[in-house]
Amino acid sequence: MTAAGCVQGESSSGGVAPAAGASSSGGSSGGDRVRLDYALYNPLSLVIREQKILENAGLTVQWEQSLGSNKANEFLRNDNLDLASTAGSAVLQARTNGSPVQTVEVYSQPEWTALVVRGDSTVTDVAGLRGRKIAATTGTDPYFFLQQALAQAGLSGADVEILNIQHADGRAALERGDVDAWAGLDPNMAATEIQSGSKLLYRNVDFNTYGVLNAREDFIQNSPDLVQQVVDAYATARAWALANPADLATLYGTAAQLSPEVAARVLERTTLDFDGVPGDAQRTVLSGIVPLMVATGDVPSEDAANEALDTLLVPEFAQKATAS
């Protein structure tokens, strides 16, 4: 990752050092131990980690950083974490393709992705990307944003060359001129705007799916009390964030090692003041991208995706959530 994308606690080997008092051993959680992710695209996870909300409530937490929704889904699929944060589109794809995961909390309604070009680019619209190289991380909201933007412009993935690289590497490739555009993700997107003069070629908030917290089904069934404690921690973090916007910007900027300007740009595009219960709003957004997922071959069939969506959202934990 770039300097603007590193997070305190990351080890030199690329792994993440556990927070104070946390266990780093693998295997399923048990007792008062939970394995949880934090991510730069999930400000509430940074609040929970930095303020030790769960540790102060008596839990031992193994923290791992998710560099993108695809990595968060890998953590869950491989039983490395109990709960992890993704975009709604990414978890729907994962569940459709056989990963036994469900959404228990909606942590943000972001405009966290757009199509980004260099400041000196001559491309003025999405149609102008025909035949050009675009960096995107498959299985993430920026990837599905790109596919929707191409379709709206009368193009498809076959009309461009999509390079599947992780978000921070996509930013670097754009700035080097190795690609013509990048399906960006905040905070790297905000950083390249402010620090390198990159431009947002195409924005559409409706093409961004929600930020959601997901858990493995077996963890939901075997440890519902721990799921509830984590969702309660999200309620506490949300209440604090809404009551203390300036402090949130400072905490976010410090935890993510971002300049105040970059942190402010990200938070301007991140809506936290809404109902975190998974429900109709998420179902509507995700239903709209099912045909696109089928057309691009990211899921086997529309029936499979709709069946996965029917059982994806688990609202009861967020409905019961209380902020301490």
Side-chain angles (χ1 to χ4, degrees), residues 220-243:
I220 293 173
Q221 294 165 3
N222 297 331
S223 304
D225 290 346
L226 288 176
V227 176
Q228 190 65 62
Q229 283 186 267
V230 172
V231 175
D232 286 349
Y234 268 81
T236 297
R238 185 192 305 276
W240 179 87
L242 293 175

Side-chain angles (χ1 to χ4, degrees), residues 240-265:
W240 179 87
L242 293 175
N244 301 277
D247 291 337
L248 171 64
T250 299
L251 182 151
Y252 180 66
T254 300
Q257 296 186 7
L258 301 172
S259 71
E261 294 80 9
V262 172
R265 181 72 58 90

Side-chain angles (χ1 to χ4, degrees), residues 1-8 40-41 43 46 171 186-192 194-195 249-267:
M1 297 183 71
T2 62
C6 296
V7 175
Q8 293 172 346
L40 300 187
Y41 53 83
L46 301 180
R171 171 193 170 186
D186 274 333
N188 279 298
M189 185 168 71
T192 194
I194 292 171
Q195 297 168 1
T250 299
L251 182 151
Y252 180 66
T254 300
Q257 296 186 7
L258 301 172
S259 71
E261 294 80 9
V262 172
R265 181 72 58 90
V266 173
L267 294 176

Side-chain angles (χ1 to χ4, degrees), residues 15-235:
V16 178
S23 168
S24 61
S25 60
S28 298
S29 294
D32 294 327
R33 177 175 172 268
V34 65
R35 301 173 299 166
L36 188 63
D37 83 334
Y38 68 100
L40 300 187
Y41 53 83
N42 179 359
L44 295 185
S45 72
L46 301 180
V47 173
I48 294 168
R49 183 173 182 263
E50 293 297 315
Q51 295 188 353
K52 301 187 184 301
I53 293 173
L54 289 167
E55 290 88 344
N56 291 338
L59 293 186
T60 297
V61 184
Q62 175 190 324
W63 289 102
E64 297 286 352
Q65 184 186 7
S66 291
L67 299 179
S69 293
N70 59 328
K71 296 302 182 182
N73 278 325
E74 285 179 18
F75 283 137
L76 292 172
R77 183 174 60 249
N78 296 331
D79 192 14
N80 298 128
L81 290 181
D82 303 309
L83 300 101
S85 47
T86 72
S89 58
V91 72
L92 175 59
Q93 178 188 334
R95 184 169 178 82
T96 304
N97 290 327
S99 184
V101 291
Q102 292 178 299
T103 295
V104 297
E105 159 76 11
V106 184
Y107 60 80
S108 73
Q109 184 180 15
E111 185 190 2
W112 53 17
T113 184
L115 296 188
V116 189
V117 295
R118 287 165 53 99
D120 58 0
S121 174
T122 59
V123 177
T124 58
D125 56 23
V126 178
L129 293 173
R130 182 186 295 272
R132 296 178 182 264
K133 294 181 179 180
I134 307 173
T137 307
T138 57
T140 69
D141 231 28
Y143 171 76
F144 291 114
F145 183 96
L146 169 62
Q147 294 289 354
Q148 291 177 89
L150 291 173
Q152 188 176 73
L155 304 178
S156 73
D159 295 312
V160 298
E161 182 180 351
I162 299 175
L163 279 65
N164 177 25
I165 52 181
Q166 202 61 44
H167 301 298
D169 297 325
R171 171 193 170 186
L174 178 72
E175 292 176 350
R176 288 194 305 266
D178 295 342
V179 296
D180 300 290
W182 167 50
L185 181 70
D186 274 333
N188 279 298
M189 185 168 71
T192 194
E193 283 183 88
I194 292 171
Q195 297 168 1
S196 301
S198 298
K199 301 181 296 187
L200 301 189
L201 174 71
Y202 179 72
R203 300 173 67 175
N204 189 331
V205 67
D206 293 332
F207 284 177
N208 291 251
T209 62
Y210 288 79
V212 295
L213 181 70
N214 314 300
R216 297 191 338 273
E217 283 187 25
D218 62 342
F219 188 72
I220 293 173
Q221 294 165 3
N222 297 331
S223 304
D225 290 346
L226 288 176
V227 176
Q228 190 65 62
Q229 283 186 267
V230 172
V231 175
D232 286 349
Y234 268 81

